[in-house]
């Protein structure tokens, strides 16, 4: 009898460990379709990475300021337009919203090759496409987190987010290389088509999900207001985040880290390709090869969380991802510089690969189902706006002190971001010492999906 009991206990423990680490765990056909949709749109996005700036430069012959303005203005205006989307999406089925966002992005991007073929493409159209795409991306994000929670069990969220993260870094490693080759052979317009097709395939994948979506539950205090949208509702996501002692430090940290890292991206191109005289293939290799670190980190995140505790791994991966950027200040011309950038980016991306799925899961677990859409919208709008503002500011700073010094300034600020994290994050559900039903009763679900 004791032997039977021990065998049953061991089997249950092994099953729980397998669920925690994601070892060959099946998440069901509906999640498989969502994952396929995510893979299609992500690969399409990275195939078309940098296409709009190249079209502006090579086809419309605009200057560097206009190229920077295309990126910054598109993100900023798109974020403003997306403000009402969180509360609007909250009370509606998420699947139609996600499909509509994909189709809007598909149509907007397809307008570019059509206008190019007719000889009527303008900078204003590129700017409009950038704005519409940014707003549609936020609309998709606002619905995707809540929709994911309806497709998988709470104890499967970390595995699901780990698979999304792995897909992101795989596409990041492969997409720019293939897209760059296509741009060199055929021109930048063709990669815009690839990007658009990715969104069309994403919409088809989401439509293939047959699982019925649960009816949306209105947030507390809104059950008697019907579908009316008030001005105060636009900021409800921020009120919820900033009032929550667990979400607030993660919000401030992730927005600051993402904005500071992304602000250095155009400066790296100026420093490496311009000042240091790198070849284009060296630049692509230096930033493409390290993406394998993100894949490794995403695969390791569930296992590290199980072994050391999700709270501890989330904290230390969040701290470690802030220390690598300073290495870019030391880059030199030639092969030694390329190797240094590969090592720096490998360390940074590996830490991000561990942090992102844990952060994504923690956020979703912590936000009640009826508030997920507006919280994710507020988070995405804030991140998008911060990236736009800091990208413009660091471009102006680089014009005064140089690209290398501006990257160094961003790296110094990045070193301060760990102080925005709480030193103790609550233990994740379904962790050691918690039964699954107890964990699911403790909290309700953390990261945006980024198709």
């Amino acid at each position: 009898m004791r032997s039977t009991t021990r065998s049953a206990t061991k089997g249950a423990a092994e099953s729980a460990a397998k669920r925690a680490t994601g070892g060959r765990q099946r998440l069901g056909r509906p999640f498989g379709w969502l994952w396929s949709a995510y893979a299609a749109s992500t690969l399409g996005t990275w195939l078309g990475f940098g296409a709009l700036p190249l079209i502006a430069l090579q086809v419309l012959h605009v200057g560097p300021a206009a190229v920077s303005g295309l990126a910054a203005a598109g993100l900023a205006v798109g974020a403003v337009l997306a403000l009402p989307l969180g509360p609007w999406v909250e009370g509606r089925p998420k699947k139609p919203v996600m499909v509509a966002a994909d189709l809007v992005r598909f149509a907007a991007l397809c307008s570019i090759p059509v206008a190019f073929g007719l000889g009527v493409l303008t900078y204003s159209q590129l700017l409009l496409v950038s704005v519409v795409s940014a707003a549609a991306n936020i609309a998709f994000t606002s619905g995707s987190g809540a929709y994911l929670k309806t497709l998988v069990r709470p104890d499967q969220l970390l595995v699901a987010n780990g698979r999304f993260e792995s897909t992101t870094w795989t596409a990041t490693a492969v997409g720019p290389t293939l897209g760059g080759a296509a741009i060199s052979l055929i021109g930048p317009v063709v990669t815009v088509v690839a990007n658009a097709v990715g969104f069309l395939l994403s919409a088809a994948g989401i439509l293939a999900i047959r699982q019925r979506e649960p009816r949306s539950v209105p947030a507390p205090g809104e059950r008697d207001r019907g579908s009316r949208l008030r001005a105060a509702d636009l900021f409800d996501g921020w009120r919820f985040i900033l009032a929550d002692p667990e979400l607030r430090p993660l919000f401030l940290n992730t927005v600051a880290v993402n904005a500071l890292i992304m602000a250095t991206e155009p400066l790296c191109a100026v420093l490496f390709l311009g000042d240091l005289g790198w070849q284009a293939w060296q630049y692509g290799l230096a930033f493409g090869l390290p993406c394998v670190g993100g894949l490794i980190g995403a695969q390791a995140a569930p296992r590290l969380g199980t072994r050391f505790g999700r709270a501890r791994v989330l904290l230390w991966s969040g701290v470690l991802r802030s220390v690598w950027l300073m290495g870019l200040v030391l880059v030199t011309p030639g092969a030694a510089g390329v190797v240094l950038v590969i090592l720096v980016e490998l360390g940074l991306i590996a830490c991000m690969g561990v942090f992102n799925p844990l952060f994504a899961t923690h956020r979703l677990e912590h936000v009640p189902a009826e508030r997920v859409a507006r919280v994710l919208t507020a988070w995405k709008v804030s991140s998008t706006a911060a990236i736009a503002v800091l990208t413009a500011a660091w471009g102006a700073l680089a014009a005064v002190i140089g690209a290398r010094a501006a990257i160094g300034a961003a790296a110094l600020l990045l070193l301060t971001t760990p102080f925005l994290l709480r030193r103790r994050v609550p233990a994740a559900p379904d962790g050691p010492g918690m039964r699954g039903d107890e964990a699911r009763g403790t909290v309700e679900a953390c990261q945006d999906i980024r198709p």
Side-chain angles (χ1 to χ4, degrees):
M1 181 68 177
R2 289 181 179 177
S3 176
T4 304
T5 303
R6 282 197 299 269
S7 298
T9 303
K10 182 179 179 182
E14 289 175 349
S15 177
K18 187 175 180 180
R19 287 199 308 270
T21 59
R24 296 183 181 178
Q25 185 174 351
R26 295 182 181 275
L27 302 186
R29 181 173 292 181
F31 174 79
W33 281 116
L34 182 64
W35 190 14
S36 299
Y38 178 79
S41 62
T42 304
L43 180 58
T45 297
W46 284 105
L47 283 171
F49 180 71
L52 292 190
L54 280 174
I55 291 173
L57 283 169
Q58 296 180 2
V59 177
L60 302 180
H61 307 292
V62 302
V67 174
S68 299
L70 178 64
L75 291 174
V77 178
V80 172
L81 292 178
L83 275 176
L85 291 176
W88 182 83
V89 169
E90 201 76 77
R92 288 167 172 77
K94 308 304 182 290
K95 179 178 172 180
V97 172
M98 296 162 65
V99 171
D102 275 336
L103 294 178
V104 166
R105 289 183 285 187
F106 168 74
L109 289 169
C110 281
S111 72
I112 293 176
V114 171
F116 175 77
L118 297 174
V120 294
L121 183 63
T122 64
Y123 178 80
S124 298
Q125 181 179 346
L126 292 183
L127 188 59
L128 180 61
V129 169
S130 181
V131 168
V132 170
S133 297
N137 183 47
I138 294 173
F140 190 103
T141 298
S142 67
S144 60
Y147 192 58
L148 176 63
K149 290 180 69 173
T150 70
L151 297 183
V152 300
R153 300 191 311 266
D155 62 301
Q156 296 174 326
L157 277 170
L158 180 56
V159 177
N161 281 313
R163 291 180 184 175
F164 285 130
E165 188 71 12
S166 298
T167 303
T168 296
W169 291 114
T170 302
T172 307
V174 174
T177 302
L178 296 179
I183 289 173
S184 299
L185 294 173
I186 310 173
V189 175
V190 70
T191 59
V192 174
V193 176
N195 193 357
V197 170
F199 290 124
L200 184 62
L201 292 175
S202 174
I206 295 169
L207 285 171
I209 300 173
R210 299 304 180 192
Q211 181 172 311
R212 179 171 294 183
E213 185 177 348
R215 186 175 180 180
S216 300
V217 179
E222 297 182 0
R223 293 178 175 86
D224 301 326
R225 290 200 298 108
S227 59
R228 290 174 300 168
L229 183 63
R230 303 175 304 175
D233 294 333
L234 302 180
F235 306 99
D236 188 63
W238 283 281
R239 282 195 294 269
F240 184 87
I241 293 169
L242 297 176
D244 191 291
E246 308 302 337
L247 293 180
R248 183 174 59 250
L250 278 172
F251 172 75
L252 296 174
N253 174 267
T254 55
V255 170
V257 169
N258 291 341
L260 285 169
I261 291 176
M262 293 303 295
T264 64
E265 183 180 344
L267 304 185
C268 287
V270 172
L271 175 62
F272 301 154
L273 295 173
D275 298 348
L276 300 181
W278 283 20
Q279 298 298 313
W281 68 267
Q282 292 176 310
Y283 184 78
L285 179 67
F287 286 94
L289 185 61
C291 291
V292 70
L295 179 60
I296 294 171
Q299 295 290 326
R303 292 173 174 81
L304 290 173
T306 300
R307 181 171 182 178
F308 300 106
R310 291 192 197 174
R312 184 177 299 172
V313 177
L314 179 63
L315 173 62
W316 282 106
S317 60
V319 171
L320 290 175
R321 80 198 204 285
S322 66
V323 304
W324 294 93
L325 194 64
M326 186 60 72
L328 298 183
V329 179
L330 307 176
V331 175
T332 59
V338 174
V339 171
L340 176 60
V341 172
I342 289 174
L343 293 176
V344 168
E345 290 292 317
L346 182 65
L348 171 62
I349 292 172
C351 292
M352 292 172 66
V354 173
F355 177 87
N356 287 344
L358 291 169
F359 152 69
T361 303
H362 179 72
R363 185 175 60 185
L364 281 178
E365 288 169 344
H366 201 75
V367 179
E370 67 272 11
R371 293 192 181 274
V372 170
R374 65 188 66 200
V375 166
L376 293 186
T377 298
W379 214 297
K380 188 70 173 180
V381 166
S382 300
S383 182
T384 301
I387 290 171
V389 170
L390 289 195
T391 297
W394 252 253
L397 181 64
V400 177
I401 65 175
R404 189 189 296 270
I407 292 172
L412 285 174
L413 285 176
L414 197 62
L415 291 174
T416 68
T417 57
F419 294 102
L420 298 173
L421 287 170
R422 286 192 61 171
R423 290 298 176 267
R424 184 178 180 277
V425 182
D430 287 340
M434 299 184 70
R435 297 196 311 271
D437 54 346
E438 291 175 343
R440 289 190 288 275
T442 302
V443 287
E444 283 268 56
C446 165
Q447 178 191 25
D448 46 319
I449 307 172
R450 300 175 296 272

